[in-house]
Amino acid sequence: MLAAEDRKYFAESDLQRDVAGRYGTHVGMVMWEPGYRNYEKYLSGDEVPEALQPEAWLQYETGRYGCHGCPVKCKDQYRIPSGRRAGEKGQAMEYECIFCLGTNCGVTDPIAIMEMENLCDAYGMDVIALGNTIAMVKDLYNRGIMTSKDTDGLDLSWEDADAQVELIHCTALRQGFGSMVAEGMYTLARRLGDEAMDYCYHVKGLSRGPYPSGLFALAHATSTRGADHLRGRSWAYGENDPDIFPKLGEQGYLPGDVDTNPVAALILGERMTTLTDCIGRCKGAVNSWICAMPLVWKHPIYDGLAKLLNTATGMDYTGEELARVADRVYAMEHAFNIRMGVTRKDDRMPQKPEIRDTPEGREDLKRHHAMVARYYEARGYDPESGRPTSERLADLNLKYVDRLLNESGPVGQWDGPTRWDMSKYPSGGVRA
C-alpha cells in the first residue's frame, strides 16, 4: 500500500510527468547553467544554442523508457539522422553528455554530440570525466600552452567536433596523445605541470567547475567523492523542487535562507541522499526530494522511509534513527578518505588563475575555508583535519574505526591515482 501510494504520486506529479517524463535531464540545458569552454562561463538558458535546448532534442527521439516499474520514463531513445553514423540508435542522452562533451568542449552540433555519446557507451567511458578532461586539454591548446606537436597533430580548436571524435577513439584505445587523455583530468594535468594545473578545476580529481564560496563550492569540497552533484548539493539548494522544498523550511528542517546558512542545508541534503544510495532508490531525472526520499511529500523528512522499511522488514526504525544511519555511513566514508591520505587540504575550492591571486580571490577562499570549518564542527569532525573525532565515532558506535585510524594512520598523502610509466599501458584494439 505504501509503495503503491508512492508510485501513484510519481505518476500524477506535474514535475515528473510533464518535465522529467517529457525531457529527462535535457531540461538542465536551460535550467542548470551548463559550462562553456572549460567553464569560461556558465550559460544561462537564453545563451544555450537553440539546437541544444530541450525541445530541440525531441526531434531525434524514437521513444522513451525507464527503470522497471517506474511510471516516469525519464530516458530517451534516439536515432542519429545524418553524418558518419546515420541511422545508428542510442539511448539515455543525458544533460551531462550535452554539457560536458558539448558546450564545455565548445561543440554545439547535436549530431556530433550524439555520436560521441554512442562512442562512450560502446567503449564504456564516463561522459563527465572524459568531457571535462577534453575541455581542459582544449583550453590548454587554445591558450597556446599545448600545440599540435603535443597532440599528435590533432587540431583541438574549440569548434572542431571531428578532431574531438578522433580523440575519443584514441583515448579509449590509448593511442598517441589519447593515452595521455586516458589518465584523466588530474593525472594528465600533473604530468603536464603547474601551468596545466592552473586550468584543472578539480576537487579530489573530479570537476564541476569553479564556483565562488557558498553552498555549491562547500558541497564539492566536502563530498567524499570529490566534486559530485549527487551527494546532496542539488537537494540542499532546492533548485528543482518548487513544491516540497519550501515546506521543509516551513517545518523547520531547513534554514530560512540557504544562501546565508548553507552548512545545515547541505548536511540535511547529504543525509537524505546517503539514505537514497543505501536503499538503491533513484535520485531522479531532475534531482527532486520526492525522487530521493519516499513519501517525503506526506510524512516528515525520513519518516516515510521508516514506515516503508518497517513494513517490509518487521523492524522498528524511526526517522531519527535513519538520520543516524546516514551519519554513520558518511563518517565511515570520511574516515576511509583520511586513511587513504585525503585530508582537509583536499577540500579545495577551484579558482580560475586570474581570480585566485587577487585580493578578492583570497578573501573568497578565506570565506570558503571558514565555511568548511563550520561544516566539520557541525558534523562532529575536527575542523582542522576533517577527521571524525573520537567522541563522534564513539557516539555513532564506530569505536573500531577510531582505533584503526589511531593504530595505522594515513597510508600517505593523496595525489591522485598511481601514475604508471606510460609505456607500460596496453594500447590498440578494434575501433567502435
Side-chain angles (χ1 to χ4, degrees), residues 117-194:
E117 163 75 22
N118 281 12
L119 282 177
C120 286
D121 286 349
Y123 284 128
M125 293 193 295
D126 173 50
V127 295
I128 300 176
L130 177 64
N132 281 326
T133 303
I134 292 176
M136 182 189 73
V137 167
K138 280 190 162 186
D139 199 358
L140 298 175
Y141 182 91
N142 285 275
R143 290 178 185 275
I145 297 171
M146 298 178 65
T147 68
S148 58
K149 182 178 178 181
D150 301 305
T151 64
D152 293 332
L154 279 177
D155 179 2
L156 296 185
S157 299
W158 286 115
E159 298 81 7
D160 194 332
D162 288 341
Q164 185 168 320
V165 167
E166 177 63 20
L167 184 55
I168 291 174
H169 284 293
C170 293
T171 300
L173 303 177
R174 275 201 175 266
Q175 294 176 329
F177 178 63
S179 188
M180 287 285 284
V181 176
E183 293 287 271
M185 170 186 279
Y186 180 80
T187 303
L188 171 59
R190 291 283 287 143
R191 288 190 184 278
L192 293 175
D194 290 345

Side-chain angles (χ1 to χ4, degrees), residues 12 77 154 335 346 358 391 398:
E12 296 177 352
Q77 296 170 313
L154 279 177
D346 298 303
T358 65
E391 293 76 14
L398 293 173

Side-chain angles (χ1 to χ4, degrees), residues 18 25 27 51 55 83 86 102-103 162 168 177 213 248 358 369 398 420:
D18 300 333
T25 59
V27 71
E55 200 70 31
T103 59
D162 288 341
I168 291 174
F177 178 63
S213 60
L248 296 173
T358 65
H369 287 305
L398 293 173
W420 290 6

Side-chain angles (χ1 to χ4, degrees), residues 163-385:
Q164 185 168 320
V165 167
E166 177 63 20
L167 184 55
I168 291 174
H169 284 293
C170 293
T171 300
L173 303 177
R174 275 201 175 266
Q175 294 176 329
F177 178 63
S179 188
M180 287 285 284
V181 176
E183 293 287 271
M185 170 186 279
Y186 180 80
T187 303
L188 171 59
R190 291 283 287 143
R191 288 190 184 278
L192 293 175
D194 290 345
E195 200 169 15
M197 286 300 295
D198 281 343
Y199 300 96
C200 181
Y201 306 126
H202 81 97
V203 181
K204 304 179 181 79
L206 296 182
S207 179
R208 298 299 298 184
Y211 284 93
S213 60
L215 190 144
F216 278 22
L218 177 66
H220 297 162
T222 59
S223 167
T224 53
R225 280 170 47 90
D228 182 349
H229 63 298
L230 295 177
R231 302 295 278 180
R233 183 197 82 173
S234 301
W235 292 266
Y237 203 66
E239 57 186 333
N240 310 317
D241 217 332
D243 298 325
I244 304 301
F245 189 79
K247 295 180 182 179
L248 296 173
E250 295 167 6
Q251 295 166 358
Y253 292 112
L254 284 167
D257 186 351
V258 172
D259 288 321
T260 58
N261 188 9
V263 170
L266 177 60
I267 291 175
L268 186 69
E270 287 173 342
R271 284 172 176 157
M272 190 270 296
T273 52
T274 298
L275 289 172
T276 305
D277 290 338
C278 287
I279 64 175
R281 184 176 172 99
C282 173
K283 291 172 182 172
V286 291
N287 302 357
S288 67
W289 282 76
I290 62 168
C291 288
M293 189 53 53
L295 303 173
V296 71
W297 48 272
K298 182 178 182 181
H299 299 287
I301 204 69
Y302 316 114
D303 288 2
L305 174 58
K307 290 178 182 294
L308 277 167
L309 290 175
N310 294 340
T311 302
T313 66
M315 304 291 282
D316 191 25
Y317 287 109
T318 65
E320 291 77 9
E321 287 171 332
L322 291 181
R324 278 179 58 80
V325 168
D327 286 350
R328 280 171 57 87
V329 171
Y330 226 67
M332 282 279 285
E333 292 181 3
H334 270 280
F336 178 83
N337 280 358
I338 294 291
R339 176 73 177 84
M340 300 309 295
V342 179
T343 65
R344 174 73 167 72
K345 82 171 187 63
D346 298 303
D347 299 331
R348 62 194 305 271
M349 183 179 79
Q351 292 179 307
K352 295 181 179 180
E354 61 268 25
I355 294 172
R356 185 179 58 221
D357 295 324
T358 65
E360 294 79 11
R362 287 191 289 270
E363 187 62 30
D364 200 31
L365 195 59
K366 182 179 178 181
R367 284 193 294 269
H368 169 73
H369 287 305
M371 203 175 295
V372 172
R374 291 199 300 273
Y375 168 88
Y376 281 132
E377 287 172 351
R379 275 286 192 188
Y381 303 170
D382 178 69
E384 297 299 320
S385 67

Side-chain angles (χ1 to χ4, degrees), residues 324 327-328 389-399:
R324 278 179 58 80
D327 286 350
R328 280 171 57 87
T389 64
S390 297
E391 293 76 14
R392 181 56 172 157
L393 290 172
D395 177 58
L396 293 172
N397 296 322
L398 293 173
K399 288 185 178 180

